[in-house]
Amino acid sequence: MGPKGGRREKHPRRRIVDAIFYVVRTGCAWRQLPKDFAPWPTVYWYFTWWHDDGTVERLHDALRDQVRVADGRSVEPSVGLIDSQSVRTADTVPVSTRGFDAGKKVKGHNRFTVTDTLGLLLAVHVVAASVQDRDGAKRPLLWTRLDHPSIQKVWADQGFSGRLVDWSASILGRELEIVRKAPDQRGFQVQPKRWAVSGRSPG
């Protein structure tokens, strides 16, 4: 959780964590962190330390496991869901990491997420918005296969159909099931197997 030894810490760890949550929640720049938190260089130092040594990932995984158990489920899921979302970014973002999604008319990033059926994050991969679903999905599917071998099937929408289905079966040994819309569907309707990953509630 941080280096040991030396003088006593000036700022409580709880306040450091609160400051990090504030930045994540509001999206403000580190330098704009309110003065009632620890100085922003201190907060940023802890953030990078905990990120690089795996603390953030371990905390996330532990909390996800607790939520699953509290919901009466096993710690490891057997089914996953994958989706992509194009997100606009500022012009200050390097050109090498942003692109244009012609279908959604969005200039920025394409975020690929794999979740369990509760919507709890299993893997995430961020690429330029110009990257197609069948290409951007491979890394998060691979990471899910390595980190959660209990998952035997992943549900996806029609944007992931085609070669990716064959790749998942032959390379990962896992089924990528495409959840298709009803032939007579008009407009948006909740897909029962996929609502969790998209952040939409079926109710």
Side-chain angles (χ1 to χ4, degrees), residues 40-168:
W40 77 264
T42 301
V43 177
Y44 182 72
W45 184 89
Y46 272 103
F47 172 77
T48 55
W49 179 283
W50 291 338
H51 175 274
D52 293 345
D53 77 352
T55 296
V56 173
E57 186 173 353
R58 290 193 297 272
L59 285 172
H60 171 270
D61 292 349
L63 291 172
R64 182 190 60 231
D65 294 349
Q66 290 181 25
V67 172
R68 288 187 57 83
V69 171
D71 197 61
R73 301 167 185 255
S74 61
V75 172
E76 284 295 330
S78 59
V79 176
L81 306 91
I82 187 169
D83 199 10
S84 66
Q85 181 181 24
S86 294
V87 181
R88 287 185 174 84
T89 57
D91 291 336
T92 54
V93 174
V95 175
S96 60
T97 60
R98 59 185 168 95
F100 182 70
D101 184 334
K104 300 177 182 177
K105 304 295 190 256
V106 173
K107 183 178 182 180
H109 289 158
N110 200 354
R111 181 173 59 212
F112 292 85
T113 55
V114 180
T115 74
D116 65 6
T117 54
L118 293 177
L120 303 175
L121 189 64
L122 301 175
V124 61
H125 183 43
V126 179
V127 296
S130 54
V131 175
Q132 298 296 311
D133 285 354
R134 62 178 178 269
D135 298 318
K138 288 184 177 179
R139 283 196 180 184
L141 286 174
L142 173 60
W143 294 335
T144 301
R145 172 69 174 84
L146 296 174
D147 295 338
H148 305 280
S150 61
I151 291 181
Q152 300 297 312
K153 177 187 294 186
V154 176
W155 288 321
D157 65 22
Q158 296 177 164
F160 296 91
S161 61
R163 290 178 295 173
L164 186 64
V165 175
D166 297 332
W167 178 87
S168 180

